[in-house]
Amino acid sequence: MSKPVILNAAELPQRTQAELASLFTVLDLPDEPTEAAAFLARHGASIRGIALRKTKIDAAFLDALPALEIIASYSAGLDNLDVKSATARGIRIENASRVLAEDVANTAIGLALAITRDLVQADAYVRAGKWPQYGAMPLGRSLSRMKVGIVGLGTIGAAIAKRLQAFGSQIAYYGPNRKSVDLPYYDDVTRLAADSDMLILTCPLTPQTHHLVNAAVLDALGPDGFLVNIARGPVVDETALIAALAENRVAGAALDVFEHEPHVPQALIENPRVVLTPHIGSATEETRTGMADNVVDALASHFGIASPRTAPLHASERAKAGVTPATAVA
């Protein structure tokens, strides 16, 4: 029996590419847009799965792949994929949220501690020899005694909430829908900001969340409030954030993502009340390996093929799990 044809639209580790090649007939998407369009016109009808990372997939792209059944994304975010068009076509979507949630949550807590305890400046203070000369630094703030608002209580947001509960923080959350959790829910992000000492952003980037954190939200957070963003850069109106920091309308920000990354505004770089990291939320060896393995395993499971980590699924097991071409998972 011939192997299912999948499209590789991702930069993946060598081991992952080798695993995909052993299980599937793999077609690599050309980088150049004109070549990619011609490639899809030639091969699109045979493609049943996609290994995705950063490639933009819109409705026109999907139209070229009438046999497509599943998209397995290396990332948690799906802002490069037209999810509505994909689900309308009955295409199964798998992402890496469950795989990377723990390390991204750890990064969020690390950033929260770094900005409230001024750890980056404290390190520089000691290295510059200022401690013997000037004595103790100004006091920081206690995360354990803060009210923390989580914007987006999905898999990652829930992992952050669990950690904050261990710290003793008071937690509330905002999202499009109330969750089955014993935490205060806000249906308005500005009100959540007004009632919080810190906002941690974990929501996906969608048209609805683009610039969700704007000048009004920052003003509601106030001059003693902190912002932590491990979601996507454009969730924050960066220009509004820069102005709020310059005018002392917020206490500080810790940012792992940026509106036009990898380009970071000089105003953020120069501000000592901002902690900056280069989109490293999931960047551990263990998690990145797990994310790559998840792409292979999701595709293999869908087609009932044994991957290096899973046993083959029989037809009855696939049906029980809902793994059919008509299944759509958001």
Side-chain angles (χ1 to χ4, degrees):
M1 190 168 71
S2 62
K3 297 177 181 178
V5 177
I6 67 161
L7 179 68
N8 179 28
E11 291 179 17
L12 296 168
Q14 232 173 4
R15 180 175 70 91
T16 305
Q17 293 179 40
E19 288 181 359
L20 289 173
S22 72
L23 302 174
F24 304 100
T25 298
V26 180
L27 303 178
D28 294 316
L29 183 69
D31 293 330
E32 204 281 318
T34 305
E35 287 181 25
F39 178 89
L40 292 177
R42 255 192 336 270
H43 301 287
S46 65
I47 293 169
R48 297 175 62 194
I50 297 178
L52 177 64
R53 193 165 185 181
K54 295 180 179 178
T55 302
K56 184 172 175 56
I57 296 184
D58 55 17
F61 192 111
L62 294 171
D63 286 341
L65 280 64
L68 186 63
E69 300 172 23
I70 179 171
I71 297 171
S73 175
Y74 178 86
S75 176
L78 296 171
D79 36 286
N80 55 325
L81 171 64
D82 185 338
V83 173
K84 187 176 179 182
S85 292
T87 53
R89 290 164 168 78
I91 297 167
R92 183 181 178 89
I93 301 169
E94 292 286 350
N95 69 3
S97 288
R98 291 184 301 276
V99 180
L100 54 73
E102 299 301 314
D103 271 327
V104 174
N106 290 343
T107 301
I109 297 299
L111 288 171
L113 289 170
I115 193 62
T116 54
R117 299 302 304 274
D118 209 11
L119 296 181
V120 175
Q121 296 302 318
D123 176 87
Y125 191 79
V126 173
R127 290 177 188 275
K130 293 181 179 179
W131 191 11
Q133 185 177 0
Y134 299 108
M137 290 181 62
L139 298 178
R141 297 279 302 283
S142 173
L143 183 62
S144 296
R145 292 169 175 80
M146 282 189 172
K147 296 178 180 178
V148 182
I150 299 175
V151 179
L153 198 71
T155 308
I156 296 168
I160 292 170
K162 178 176 149 186
R163 285 155 173 76
L164 289 171
Q165 285 172 325
F167 273 84
S169 308
Q170 295 180 52
I171 309 160
Y173 72 99
Y174 161 84
N177 301 297
R178 187 186 296 271
K179 304 278 186 177
S180 298
V181 294
D182 188 21
L183 293 172
Y185 169 68
Y186 286 71
D187 61 5
D188 182 273
V189 71
T190 307
R191 284 199 303 109
L192 176 64
D195 289 346
S196 300
D197 301 302
M198 174 183 287
L199 282 186
I200 299 182
L201 311 182
T202 73
C203 58
L205 176 61
T206 66
Q208 291 71 38
T209 63
H210 183 270
H211 284 188
L212 177 69
V213 176
N214 53 24
V217 172
L218 294 168
D219 283 340
L221 188 58
D224 294 324
F226 297 90
L227 179 72
V228 176
N229 189 8
I230 49 88
R232 285 290 185 265
V235 171
V236 176
D237 182 339
E238 217 165 65
T239 301
L241 175 60
I242 289 168
L245 286 162
E247 296 161 12
N248 296 316
R249 289 186 283 113
V250 292
L255 311 170
D256 186 47
V257 289
F258 305 89
E259 194 158 4
H260 304 291
E261 62 185 53
H263 304 291
V264 178
Q266 195 63 28
L268 293 177
I269 292 171
E270 293 173 356
N271 195 317
R273 293 185 293 115
V274 181
V275 174
L276 307 169
T277 53
H279 204 147
I280 59 169
S282 65
T284 66
E285 291 181 10
E286 295 85 353
T287 286
R288 289 293 170 89
T289 297
M291 290 163 65
D293 290 348
N294 188 63
V295 171
V296 177
D297 295 347
L299 290 166
S301 173
H302 180 80
F303 293 108
I305 299 170
S307 85
R309 287 157 298 280
T310 60
L313 290 175
H314 295 295
S316 60
E317 293 172 307
R318 289 202 304 277
K320 204 180 294 181
V323 181
T324 69
T327 301
V329 178

